[in-house]
Amino acid sequence: MGRRHPGAPTLEEVAARAGVGRGTVSRVVNNAAGVKESTRRAVQRAIAELGYVPNLAARSLAGQRADAVALVMTEPRWRQFAEPFFSEIVHAIGDALAGTGPQLLLTLVRSDAERRRFLEYARGGRVDGVLLMSVHADDPLPDMLAEARLPTVLMGRRSGDERVSYVDADNAGGARSAVAHLLATGRRAIATITGPPDMYVAQCRLRGYREALASAGLDTRPSWVAEGDFTIEGGHRAMTRLLERHPEIDGVLAASDTTAEGALEALRAAGRRVPEDVAVIGFDDFPLAERTAPRLTTVRQPLEDIGRTMVQLLLQEIEEPSVAWRHVILRTELVVRESA
């Protein structure tokens, strides 16, 4: 745990810059009467110089709030609503928020310009807190929100040293359990298809794969690893590359269920039987895992629990703005079906 960093310019800092009292700044911000024009101009100049954004929710002496929470998707490449992961987590978060009061606002932030616009929107008091998903390692938005003192909770994390509140699944442990199952069923030439390498979730699943193979004294060379992007198309391409490099493959851990579906398609096209020739395990346990042929063995992420815990943490931070950031990691579960 740790404390939040100093945030955006405050009303007191504007007052000090303008050489006036806090109440005068408040009257200028609220366009109240009784302020000399020269004083008003001095305050407005200080606001511009400091980049101060009035918090609309904080203006009310009664402590009124925006009664809204933003769910921000930051993935620039995926077709968000075409991938099961996004619809599943939106559903889980929506259910968790139901009956709690705040309205859920769904927002896409995919560029620097959109990031700046959203930050100004959020700092203006239009939302009480932010839920972030699909954050890549180099994304500055979580830090920008924390510095602006906006309650923020991530789904997943950018690194092992994340300093913003997050809820994550035990991705490395889930991958280890999947590889252990493949080994227990006699597989020895086991490859993996990863997610995007700049996402910590993908790094953790790859690490778990490598740890399990290393513990068994088996090959973990780079040629057994193919990069994917959590999509069906990416899984198909990666599986095709793996078959070209290692036709002796008899087991595959895919970093997501959609990736696994693409791998199954590539194996069928190559004339490989699943699981007789090659066993396949996915990760997520989306409904599509029940519809693949054969049905997909996969590592289940507790998405409902993740969504519920994210909402709980965020509401707590909204109620107690000075609360330390918190990290929660939830267990995964291997679901065995016909593909492995």
Side-chain angles (χ1 to χ4, degrees):
M1 283 192 174
R3 290 288 170 184
R4 298 188 181 283
H5 300 294
T10 65
L11 203 68
E12 289 77 9
E13 290 168 337
V14 173
R17 175 68 67 94
V20 300
R22 187 182 187 280
T24 301
V25 176
S26 181
R27 288 196 294 275
V28 172
V29 166
N30 288 284
N31 293 316
V35 180
K36 290 194 303 183
E37 188 57 33
S38 60
T39 301
R40 188 181 298 276
R41 285 198 299 270
V43 171
Q44 290 171 339
R45 185 165 55 249
I47 287 173
E49 290 171 354
L50 291 173
Y52 173 73
V53 177
N55 187 321
L56 301 180
R59 289 183 187 175
S60 171
L61 296 178
Q64 292 179 355
R65 295 192 177 120
D67 284 331
V69 167
L71 173 58
V72 180
M73 296 180 177
T74 62
E75 177 55 59
R77 293 171 292 180
W78 294 344
R79 304 180 304 276
Q80 275 90 345
F81 295 103
E83 300 296 336
F85 173 81
F86 291 101
S87 58
E88 291 288 324
I89 195 60
V90 170
H91 181 77
I93 289 172
D95 282 352
L97 269 175
T100 64
Q103 181 76 20
L104 182 62
L105 306 178
L106 185 60
T107 306
L108 305 183
V109 176
R110 298 158 296 180
S111 67
D112 287 340
E114 290 178 347
R115 195 175 290 116
R116 289 191 298 270
R117 283 198 298 271
F118 176 74
L119 181 65
E120 293 306 305
Y121 177 86
R123 284 175 59 194
R126 295 174 177 86
V127 297
D128 298 316
V130 180
L131 300 168
L132 278 172
M133 59 188 292
S134 186
V135 180
H136 290 250
D138 60 352
D139 195 330
L141 183 57
D143 297 321
M144 295 163 70
L145 292 167
E147 288 167 5
R149 298 174 182 166
L150 284 161
T152 301
V153 178
L154 308 184
M155 179 181 184
R157 44 190 157 152
R158 293 169 295 174
S159 73
D161 191 32
E162 183 62 73
R163 295 189 179 276
V164 177
S165 293
Y166 68 74
V167 181
D168 204 356
D170 181 9
N171 292 292
R176 286 194 298 269
S177 70
V179 175
H181 177 74
L182 291 171
L183 292 168
T185 57
R187 312 294 170 160
R188 290 297 180 269
I190 302 171
T192 189
I193 303 172
T194 73
D198 65 338
M199 296 187 72
Y200 193 64
V201 58
Q203 297 169 24
C204 288
R205 293 174 189 179
L206 176 59
R207 185 175 77 243
Y209 158 84
R210 286 175 167 156
E211 289 171 350
L213 285 185
S215 295
L218 296 179
D219 198 343
T220 59
R221 288 177 301 180
S223 63
W224 289 91
V225 178
E227 182 181 323
D229 58 4
F230 292 143
T231 67
I232 294 174
E233 296 82 2
H236 192 290
R237 289 192 299 268
M239 189 71 247
T240 301
R241 290 196 299 272
L242 286 170
L243 288 171
E244 291 170 353
R245 294 177 199 163
H246 296 287
E248 72 274 25
I249 284 175
D250 62 10
V252 177
L253 170 62
S256 72
D257 287 350
T258 46
T259 296
E261 185 174 7
L264 291 173
E265 292 177 357
L267 288 166
R268 279 194 296 271
R272 303 297 181 91
R273 299 169 300 164
V274 177
E276 293 85 355
D277 300 325
V278 183
V280 177
I281 297 182
F283 209 113
D284 289 321
D285 196 29
F286 294 141
L288 72 84
E290 291 274 9
R291 300 195 298 266
T292 58
R295 295 191 312 151
L296 188 63
T297 294
T298 187
V299 178
R300 175 179 292 158
Q301 284 201 84
L303 288 184
E304 289 187 9
D305 290 342
I306 289 173
R308 181 167 54 251
T309 306
M310 288 176 67
V311 169
Q312 289 172 349
L313 292 188
L314 187 66
L315 294 179
Q316 289 170 12
E317 292 193 8
I318 291 170
E319 290 295 329
E320 304 174 63
S322 63
V323 73
W325 41 257
R326 286 157 294 181
H327 297 164
V328 178
I329 299 177
L330 300 177
R331 297 180 62 180
T332 58
E333 174 189 0
L334 183 67
V335 180
V336 178
R337 300 189 180 98
E338 289 81 19
S339 71

